[in-house]
Amino acid sequence: MSTPQQPSYPLDLVARIKAPVLGLYGGKDDSIPLETAERMQAALKAAGGRSEIVIYPEAPHGFHADYRPSYRPETAADGWSRLQGWFKANGVS
């Protein structure tokens, strides 16, 4: 359901996305359901381009936030490594 603060969701905009997207999702995220991450993954794939969605099956929301109980050091390290590689591959760094 859209609201004035969030009139569209990322899934609503996939066809208009021109930049490559890297999404790092937790499979046990209570804020972003796994089904939503999987739908985004499928939509980006169908749209073509250089997007990638990575789902960490055991990770909760905030797995990269080292100040939260949800922090998962191994998953965070993998995500950080992927992000650095993504930036390099896409001309950001």
Side-chain angles (χ1 to χ4, degrees):
M1 169 187 260
S2 63
T3 66
Q5 291 78 27
Q6 187 169 7
S8 300
Y9 287 90
L11 273 168
D12 300 330
L13 305 173
V14 168
R16 295 182 5 212
I17 295 174
K18 303 298 181 214
V21 173
L22 172 64
L24 305 173
Y25 291 89
K28 296 195 175 186
D29 190 328
D30 292 333
S31 299
I32 304 170
L34 178 58
E35 187 254 339
T36 300
E38 290 171 337
R39 286 179 55 210
M40 186 68 169
Q41 187 175 41
L44 286 167
K45 184 176 181 177
R50 300 172 301 175
S51 295
E52 179 182 359
I53 300 293
V54 179
I55 299 171
Y56 297 100
E58 298 301 314
H61 186 79
F63 64 84
H64 199 271
D66 62 0
Y67 56 91
R68 291 176 149 185
S70 59
Y71 178 58
R72 301 295 184 270
E74 297 82 16
T75 305
D78 183 76
W80 183 251
S81 177
R82 287 177 188 265
L83 175 66
Q84 297 299 307
W86 185 261
F87 280 166
K88 185 174 264 188
N90 289 285
V92 178
S93 64

